[in-house]
Amino acid sequence: VIAFFTPQCLAGHKLLITAGPTFEAIDPVRGITNHSSGKMGFAIARAAREAGAEVTLVAGPVHLPTPRGVHRINVKSAQNMLEAVMQRAQAATLFIATAAVADWRPAAAAEQKIKKDGSGQMPVLHFVENPDILATVAQSQHALVGDLFCVGFAAESHDLLQHATAKRARKGVPLLVGNIGPATFGQDDNALLLVDAHGHRELPRASKRELAQQLVADIAARLAQRSD
Ligand code: CTP
Ligand code: CA
């Protein structure tokens, strides 16, 4: 299917999209995060809005302007992000997970700032795994009956096709979009690899804005095919 971006190609659809990093507190003044800029997710939110979708953007801590006409919800931790997403997933027809969710968080954030005690002893951090937001949404009844189309992202440093193919199956999503990272973090351009049950297709290097439009057009074509 050849897909073109048009101002109405996602009309009638409700997109829920995650973007940016998460921030996992260690204590009131410190935490663990990552270098995700949020740019790709914000570009997709903008493109989807320009394609006629109603867009809710659940964003981790990033300093990016909210695209015009997009409803933005700011969150910090993976748990906050999961909660914000689950509250809104039922109303959505399309879910795109671009957020770089922290895989682990400190098991308990200290209530007070951790101080050096003068002994030279280092604090030891214990971690627990964060919930998998994409897998949780993809396994929800709303998605399983086909009313919510789920799209995952993956940044991989090597063997992109193999990792993206395995990740698509593991997450249980029809479409997984891969890119080679972390080289693209914060950059204004990127190249994407679209992996579905039938194979893969590359969107060659372009600006994140152009890639977002191409991806939106591709997803719109998939949604239109499904409803035929
Ligand atoms: N994701 C998510 N919640 C998590 C981890 C990942 O929603 N706790 C989503 C991301 O937004 C992305 C996809 O899952 O759409 C793949 O994320 P990635 O970090 O590449 O996959 P992981 O399963 O965490 O595997 P790993 O980091 O070990 O490669
Ligand atoms: Ca991860």
Side-chain angles (χ1 to χ4, degrees):
V1 182
I2 302 173
F4 295 102
F5 181 85
T6 71
Q8 289 300 315
C9 68
L10 274 184
H13 280 284
K14 293 186 179 183
L15 167 64
L16 181 62
I17 179 168
T18 65
T22 65
F23 179 92
E24 312 296 333
I26 293 173
D27 71 14
V29 300
R30 313 181 172 89
I32 291 170
T33 187
N34 63 66
H35 284 306
S36 167
S37 69
K39 283 180 183 173
M40 193 68 232
F42 275 59
I44 294 167
R46 175 180 173 184
R49 179 72 198 121
E50 289 170 351
E54 212 176 280
V55 180
T56 301
L57 169 61
V58 178
V62 291
H63 295 282
L64 289 175
T66 308
R68 184 186 301 274
V70 166
H71 178 51
R72 175 176 183 174
I73 294 143
N74 289 323
V75 295
K76 247 177 149 174
S77 68
Q79 288 175 295
N80 297 159
M81 188 176 274
L82 176 68
E83 196 183 328
V85 163
M86 294 316 281
Q87 276 171 14
R88 292 160 183 89
Q90 196 61 34
T93 61
L94 172 60
F95 177 64
I96 305 180
T98 71
V101 182
D103 289 321
W104 308 279
R105 66 175 181 274
E111 276 177 30
Q112 297 185 329
K113 181 185 171 189
I114 302 169
K115 300 289 288 176
K116 286 179 287 188
D117 65 4
S119 71
Q121 285 251 5
M122 310 297 158
V124 175
L125 293 177
H126 294 279
F127 288 90
V128 293
E129 198 168 318
N130 266 326
D132 189 321
I133 300 167
L134 175 60
T136 305
V137 172
Q139 294 312 308
S140 71
Q141 205 53 28
H142 189 43
L144 291 175
V145 299
D147 291 338
L148 178 64
F149 189 81
C150 296
V151 181
F153 263 72
E156 306 288 350
S157 60
H158 59 284
D159 297 332
L160 179 59
L161 179 58
Q162 290 91 314
H163 282 129
T165 302
K167 203 163 270 181
R168 192 193 75 81
R170 185 153 51 78
K171 303 273 177 177
V173 294
L175 179 63
L176 194 118
V177 180
N179 64 107
I180 284 287
T184 58
F185 279 24
Q187 297 296 117
D188 288 319
D189 65 356
N190 203 350
L192 301 178
L193 183 71
L194 276 49
V195 180
D196 67 15
H198 307 290
H200 59 93
R201 169 165 100 90
E202 203 193 323
L203 301 183
R205 184 155 295 281
S207 70
K208 287 184 177 175
R209 172 157 171 74
E210 279 173 74
L211 287 173
Q213 292 188 340
Q214 290 174 30
L215 179 62
V216 160
D218 180 280
I219 292 170
R222 291 171 194 271
L223 290 167
Q225 253 190 338
R226 271 163 52 118
S227 58
D228 284 348

